Amino acid sequence: MTDILIRNGTVVDGTGAPRFAADVRIKGGVIAEVGPGLIAAGERIIDATGCFVTPGFIESHTHYDASMWWQPDLDPLPGYGATTMILGNCGFSMAPLHPSQAVKDEVIGIFSFFEDIPEGPFKENVPWDWSTWGEYRKSFEKNVSVPLNYASLVGHIPLRLAAMGMDAWDRAATPAEIARMQVLLDDALAAGALGMSDNMHDHDGTNRPVPSMLADDAEYAALFDVMEKYPASVYQVIVDTFMRMTGPANMARLEKLLTGRNIRVQVAGGIPTLEFQKPILPAMRASLESMRASGVDVWPAYAHVSPTSTLSLVKSLIFAQSNDYVWHEVVLAEDHAEKARLLADPEWRARARESWDTNAWDHSPLKNPQELHLINSDNGVGPVNITLKAWADSRGQHRSDAMADWILANGTMSTVHMAPFPKDEELTMMLMNDPKSLGNVSDAGAHLQMLCGGGENALLLTSYVRDEKKMTLEHAVHVMTQKIAIHFNLADRGVIAVGKRADIAVFDLDEVQRREMIKKFDVPDGKGGTTWRFTRDAAPMRLTLVNGQPTFENGAYTGSTPGEFLVPSRPVLAMAAE
């Protein structure tokens, strides 16, 4: 490991304090000295004139759990200054595992559907040589080398499946099964899991609620009993403020279950920021205030980027998540000839029109053709850069028929793009200013044919800081560094200070952009070929350091993989429990 001296930069240290001119000395992967005019002592010198020197950015909500096994460069994250990522969100993790192959396949199917990842590479590239979460961590560290540090929650869904098998989809757990879940959760927390993630939101491609939604209060109480043995652990849960709008009921239940417990709670969707969610917002704000008044340490998680949808027939949960299971039949079709046959079939078309008219959620892209853009033609037939509404109106067609005809003409690899949902920027800023909120949520690593979460952090530096001046650079850096590290009890990073790990980003703010999405055909399809994902060119950073080693420099990924599996700092009580 080469020691480094970063000279002549402006330090934004991650705490929110004002910037200051200083050099930063790094020895053995740790920040050894911060101050002006440091004298070189044989280190490699990095000239940061005109640049900011900040802690490396933490991706607080990703789903690289699977894809990092076959895409270990984590493109495009190094080029955006990302140095740590949080895995195991939304109740989804790859461990623990039930011994039955059928249940293991169910875990793959859940990840594949909800995160829009092909099933093939799960079977080709992942060894599945574990049963407990602790064994999973060992396999991970043995088999995967990546350029970012990573830390992970354990999902409630695989906990249920590991303890109950396929019955996890259908019923409450027995006392014996709950006891087994406790053992598995205790193993995960003892092995370094950040905590437990949960899902009170999702339904699968056949409209089944995910297994965690079958858990009764006795199961929750037992799992929370285990979590209280590990005070540094976090309970992360996604509630429904997007589809069935059960969020207020979810929050009321969580308040009852968590009041009086020493558990930090992170609620994805806790304060919804999109315009179509306005009717549910008062109830969600009241729920959050009630939980805090009851002493629950609750942190709403939010995205600073409005979600967008790319409707693909190759791999997409958008149709099913819009409550349309007829177009989802096309996504599920095994080959492109069958997809085309369905799109042309009069009986299917009649069912598709009915589904879009009567079943799809009002705020879904299927009910808003004026927001759907025909952009990405696979063969160039076109037309392109026209809305679905304009195309349908010009032909006197139902919007579903018009989209089917456009895809048939342009090829079933073509995609239709939705404009971003309108978002309440004032509310987003309120969340950024809340000392107990979690930002920089991106879903990076998931939905790779729908979006590119990697690189969305750049919008905080560009739109919010440089261009629109909604916040200071010091605040934006704090939101993406120390604040997230504090939330997850990652005490050794997130700040430019002596003794902290040398996870560092160096950038010229004038050079940074959130680049447009581009297609890259490098995802194994499980059939000997590749399919595509969205990525983007680098911001770029001048330099990204992970544990003191350059992962991005001179405009390119260096190929270095210094990432480590991170565990939370354990208070005395937790150490005793282990």
Side-chain angles (χ1 to χ4, degrees), residues 311-487:
L311 280 63
S312 163
L313 300 187
V314 177
K315 192 74 183 129
S316 177
L317 84 169
I318 286 297
F319 298 108
Q321 296 288 57
S322 297
N323 207 37
D324 166 43
Y325 295 91
V326 179
W327 270 81
H328 188 64
E329 294 171 12
V330 186
V331 177
L332 294 177
E334 287 295 320
D335 56 58
H336 286 274
E338 176 61 12
K339 294 178 192 293
R341 187 196 69 77
L342 282 171
L343 291 175
D345 179 64
E347 185 274 334
W348 178 88
R349 285 193 172 208
R351 291 191 295 113
R353 291 191 297 270
E354 174 71 13
S355 180
W356 279 27
D357 287 341
T358 63
N359 296 331
W361 310 122
D362 287 342
H363 58 271
S364 73
L366 315 183
K367 283 281 182 70
N368 294 277
Q370 74 282 0
E371 301 294 340
L372 283 174
H373 297 265
L374 308 178
I375 294 176
N376 190 269
S377 168
D378 187 50
N379 60 21
V381 167
V384 295
N385 299 319
I386 184 175
T387 68
L388 176 59
K389 177 174 172 50
W391 172 242
D393 288 350
S394 72
R395 296 162 61 88
Q397 282 184 298
H398 188 280
R399 59 194 186 281
S400 176
D401 289 335
M403 194 164 95
D405 280 345
W406 186 85
I407 292 173
L408 284 170
N410 287 271
T412 52
M413 289 283 285
S414 303
T415 54
V416 178
H417 299 246
M418 185 180 180
F421 285 100
K423 182 165 70 76
D424 186 331
E425 288 298 333
E426 183 178 344
L427 185 57
T428 302
M429 285 304 305
M430 183 206 78
L431 285 165
M432 289 195 197
N433 291 323
D434 186 335
K436 288 192 173 185
S437 66
L438 190 79
N440 204 28
V441 170
S442 71
D443 252 8
H447 314 299
L448 296 177
Q449 293 183 349
M450 189 174 88
L451 53 83
C452 180
E456 298 288 24
N457 64 312
L459 282 179
L460 282 176
L461 303 176
T462 55
S463 293
Y464 282 86
V465 173
R466 184 188 64 205
D467 302 335
E468 300 179 28
K469 296 179 173 53
K470 294 179 180 178
M471 60 197 303
T472 65
L473 179 62
E474 288 84 348
H475 188 190
V477 170
H478 175 64
V479 164
M480 293 191 286
T481 58
Q482 187 197 40
K483 193 175 183 184
I484 301 174
I486 288 172
H487 177 78

Side-chain angles (χ1 to χ4, degrees), residues 501-513:
R501 298 295 294 178
D503 291 353
I504 292 175
V506 179
F507 56 92
D508 181 335
L509 188 58
D510 290 335
E511 296 174 352
V512 172
Q513 299 291 337

Side-chain angles (χ1 to χ4, degrees), residues 86-158:
I86 307 300
L87 309 173
N89 291 287
C90 300
F92 309 130
S93 65
M94 296 172 70
L97 282 179
H98 191 276
S100 161
Q101 185 60 48
V103 182
K104 291 179 184 178
D105 288 344
E106 199 74 5
V107 171
I108 293 173
I110 288 170
F111 245 111
S112 177
F113 172 72
F114 288 107
E115 305 310 332
D116 286 321
I117 301 170
E119 288 191 12
F122 280 93
K123 298 175 181 179
E124 285 188 355
N125 299 83
V126 181
W128 301 103
D129 56 354
W130 58 80
S131 58
T132 67
W133 196 94
E135 292 167 348
Y136 158 75
R137 175 185 170 178
K138 290 177 182 177
S139 180
F140 214 114
E141 292 182 290
K142 175 183 176 182
N143 293 300
V144 181
S145 297
V146 291
L148 268 72
N149 298 307
Y150 48 99
S152 182
L153 300 146
V154 58
H156 190 183
I157 293 171

